[in-house]
Amino acid sequence: KFGRVSLLDMSKPLVVHAHHHCHVLIKVNGIDSYFSVKGKNQPLTNESVVLVNAWESHAYMHTLDGEGRCILLALYLEPSWLKTILQALTISSHPHFFPKSCAQLSQAARKLADSLAIEMLVNECIDPDILEERIFDLFMSTVEHNSELKNSNALMLGLRSKALDPRIRRAITSMNRG
């Protein structure tokens, strides 16, 4: 339900792409590298986190010299799951949820990311409830001061004003049932 969480061993660039997930990228080991988000390079270091809004174009750029490896923890979180935990997170699908693509990683988030990465490496199976709790705690410690969560009402109004025509929503609902 939460989406996907991956430990990625990166040694080569990755093509520009986008997806509907709320995306958080944290380096856990290896060399410093960077992501291009909306065409601007964002550093991926021990002290930084790269934040990608839903449907925002991004690509892993690796390093200028192309050498070394970067191990990163990638959270691909479903906005629908986030809003079931905290209604204000309905805005996690908003194109301006993260006002900046890169932020300083707090010490609390660093500890949570390292702990989750170690658990993913060591344990073949993590209890789903514990895993979801750890993912949510890491997400909140990362976005708490680096998102528009505090302005959720204003962003929610923006989402509502862009909502589909009610007739189209009913048709989509009908097709999903059938």
Side-chain angles (χ1 to χ4, degrees):
K1 292 180 183 179
F2 64 81
R4 230 177 42 227
V5 175
S6 300
L7 276 175
L8 304 172
D9 183 353
M10 306 297 285
S11 62
K12 296 189 180 347
L14 184 63
V15 298
V16 175
H17 63 284
H19 38 79
H20 74 277
H21 299 100
C22 188
H23 201 16
V24 176
L25 301 152
I26 302 170
K27 175 187 155 189
V28 292
N29 201 345
I31 62 169
D32 291 346
S33 58
Y34 54 98
F35 265 79
S36 172
V37 181
K38 292 191 302 186
K40 294 185 179 175
N41 290 341
Q42 307 297 334
L44 191 59
T45 69
N46 290 329
E47 295 82 31
S48 67
V49 57
V50 175
L51 305 165
V52 184
N53 288 304
W55 296 116
E56 199 164 59
S57 64
H58 59 285
Y60 179 68
M61 303 306 290
H62 200 52
T63 61
L64 295 176
D65 64 9
E67 298 297 318
R69 302 184 95 72
C70 179
I71 311 298
L72 60 106
L73 181 64
L75 308 179
Y76 305 86
L77 300 181
E78 292 286 348
S80 58
W81 174 74
L82 290 168
K83 81 175 185 179
T84 64
I85 298 173
L86 182 62
Q87 187 64 38
L89 285 172
T90 298
I91 64 164
S92 64
S93 63
H94 195 282
H96 302 294
F97 179 65
F98 296 124
K100 294 190 276 183
S101 300
C102 188
Q104 183 172 342
L105 187 66
S106 71
Q107 288 183 353
R110 170 88 273 152
K111 287 179 184 175
L112 290 167
D114 290 345
S115 175
L116 180 57
I118 289 168
E119 187 145 10
M120 289 171 69
L121 284 170
V122 173
N123 294 324
E124 271 188 43
C125 185
I126 304 170
D127 178 273
D129 292 333
I130 292 171
L131 179 61
E132 285 188 14
E133 181 180 326
R134 291 194 179 154
I135 290 166
F136 186 75
D137 289 347
L138 173 57
F139 178 75
M140 290 305 293
S141 70
T142 303
V143 305
E144 188 173 38
H145 301 291
N146 302 309
S147 71
E148 290 295 327
L149 188 56
K150 61 192 169 294
N151 300 321
S152 62
N153 289 338
L155 286 184
M156 188 73 74
L157 289 173
L159 279 177
R160 283 191 189 125
S161 69
K162 294 180 181 181
L164 291 174
D165 179 300
R167 295 168 293 185
I168 295 172
R169 277 198 312 260
R170 283 193 299 273
I172 291 170
T173 300
S174 178
M175 287 188 291
N176 286 336
R177 282 191 206 134

